[in-house]
Amino acid sequence: MIISLSAPLIPQNTTDLLILLDDAPAVNATAIAGGDIIGAREGHAILPSGGILSLQVILEGNTLNATIRPLDGFAVLRFYHVNLRLLDASGNRLDNLEVCINGSKTADQRRPIAPYGKSTLVILLHGGESYTTEINVTSSTAITVTLPVSDLNLLLTSRMGTSLANQSAVLTGNSSGRGYPFVTDRNGRVRIEEIPHGVYSVSCCGMDQLILHNSSATHTLRFDPACNLTVDIKNPYILFPTEVSVKVFDNNGRPLSRTEVVMDFGGERHVKVTDGTGSTSFYLPPSISLTDEVDLTALSISKHVTVNRDPLPILLVPAVLAFLLLMKIRWDRQN
């Protein structure tokens, strides 16, 4: 008996799939269909037939979602490298980012692989804000995407306009939740580089304020730092200048320098600024009054102080004069 095999046995109800990368058969591609892993040597794979079929294709470490519509048992998937340039608002190349195409993270951020036609490109910058844009790929091409990113400039002051020097605060992205801790300089200013545009919250001195970051313009924010105020009255004597010494601390006990302190006394307002130790002093003029009322204000704290003067020095004047007179009389008698 003679058996003749004129053609190889071909499975029924299958689809021949050709995978192209940059218009050439993709080398060592892999297709995943219905949970089955199917090798595609030289870009060719045989898939179970089933009309419209959703599958995944793995190319150069990238896992890409795809849908085929077989025609007469044959389908082609075309993919292309995209030379992607990501720039910030100033034209500088961006780093530390992730790129996703149609929901799949790319292995190469600079040269991702995209399917033929329209795709959704998502860029996640610094692990924070994400940006979505549509791209249309018909061949191996170069695409430049400029993201709305720029430096954020802040000026922190008190309600009275005094700069909050060396002040710790946190900037938080409302959508990403990412925090950017910072400390202001001696002028109350800070610059945070390459921040994605969007809505942010600035937390400082136990308060939160919202800002919309969409340029490099300076945002001026006013806060009233929670603080404590101590007052020390020195030389409270009649007919002597009286010193009113003030010290300002934050809630952690740290001195608040360059902080305005206002003293209201006798219908007049006097303003001083604390030094590096958080201290400043006012001087009340000599007076014969036993008491005076003083109001002190620093940031959000106000304190009313009653100055009680001691009459002892003036009472000592006659005694001193009498003693001097007695000494003079004795001196005259001896001579």
Side-chain angles (χ1 to χ4, degrees):
M1 182 176 64
I2 300 175
I3 298 176
S4 175
L5 297 177
S6 58
L9 296 176
I10 300 177
Q12 299 297 313
N13 301 320
T14 60
T15 296
D16 283 291
L17 174 65
L18 182 61
I19 302 174
L20 302 179
L21 179 59
D22 296 335
D23 294 324
V27 179
N28 296 327
T30 301
I32 303 176
D36 296 326
I37 300 176
I38 304 168
R41 187 177 181 182
E42 300 301 328
H44 177 255
I46 298 177
L47 303 178
S49 182
I52 298 177
L53 181 63
S54 295
L55 67 154
Q56 291 180 313
V57 177
I58 302 176
L59 289 172
E60 298 180 2
N62 299 275
T63 301
L64 303 143
N65 298 315
T67 300
I68 61 171
R69 294 172 175 80
L71 182 61
D72 296 330
F74 181 76
V76 177
L77 285 176
R78 287 180 289 172
F79 298 91
Y80 294 96
H81 283 104
V82 178
N83 292 315
L84 188 61
R85 296 178 69 242
L86 300 175
L87 309 177
D88 65 14
S90 302
N92 301 313
R93 186 180 289 273
L94 291 171
D95 296 311
N96 301 323
L97 46 81
E98 295 179 1
V99 175
C100 295
I101 293 180
N102 298 334
S104 298
K105 182 180 176 180
T106 64
D108 187 348
Q109 303 165 355
R110 302 302 179 191
R111 201 162 180 260
I113 297 174
Y116 175 87
K118 293 183 179 180
S119 291
T120 300
L121 178 68
V122 177
I123 302 160
L124 191 65
L125 181 67
H126 300 297
E129 307 289 335
S130 61
Y131 299 95
T132 302
T133 186
E134 300 295 324
I135 59 174
N136 189 22
V137 177
T138 58
S139 63
S140 184
T141 185
I143 296 176
T144 298
V145 178
T146 301
L147 301 182
V149 177
S150 61
D151 294 347
L152 173 61
N153 295 289
L154 297 173
L155 170 61
L156 272 56
T157 72
S158 70
R159 295 290 182 186
M160 301 173 68
T162 303
S163 299
L164 298 182
N166 305 314
Q167 179 65 53
S168 299
V170 178
L171 176 77
T172 305
N174 270 31
S175 60
S176 68
R178 182 183 179 187
Y180 302 83
F182 65 87
V183 178
T184 61
D185 63 14
R186 63 181 182 179
N187 298 313
R189 296 180 179 273
V190 68
R191 170 178 290 183
I192 306 175
E193 297 182 349
E194 292 188 0
I195 296 296
H197 289 186
V199 178
Y200 290 85
S201 173
V202 179
S203 301
C204 178
C205 307
M207 302 172 60
D208 294 326
Q209 291 193 40
L210 291 178
I211 60 171
L212 174 62
H213 171 49
N214 56 12
S215 70
S216 292
T218 299
H219 296 268
T220 300
L221 303 177
R222 301 184 185 278
F223 295 93
D224 278 334
C227 68
N228 295 309
L229 191 69
T230 62
V231 181
D232 183 21
I233 306 299
K234 300 178 180 180
N235 303 321
Y237 302 122
I238 287 178
L239 296 180
F240 281 80
T242 301
E243 180 181 354
V244 180
S245 179
V246 181
K247 205 160 189 176
V248 185
F249 301 88
D250 65 16
N251 279 345
N252 296 317
R254 296 175 301 185
L256 293 176
S257 61
R258 297 174 59 84
T259 300
E260 281 190 358
V261 180
V262 178
M263 182 183 74
D264 291 306
F265 169 71
E268 295 184 356
R269 172 162 290 193
H270 307 271
V271 180
K272 293 286 187 70
V273 177
T274 59
D275 58 19
T277 66
S279 303
T280 190
S281 292
F282 299 89
Y283 288 89
L284 305 182
S287 174
I288 62 172
S289 174
L290 290 177
T291 62
D292 271 315
E293 304 297 322
V294 174
D295 289 304
L296 295 164
T297 303
L299 301 174
S300 59
I301 300 296
S302 295
K303 184 170 288 191
H304 181 78
V305 178
T306 299
V307 178
N308 296 304
R309 292 191 176 86
D310 191 343
L312 182 60
I314 195 170
L315 295 178
L316 290 177
V317 171
V320 172
L321 292 177
F323 175 76
L324 293 176
L325 180 60
L326 180 60
M327 293 299 294
K328 184 176 185 307
I329 293 173
R330 287 182 177 180
W331 173 264
D332 291 340
R333 286 177 178 177
Q334 290 176 358
N335 295 289

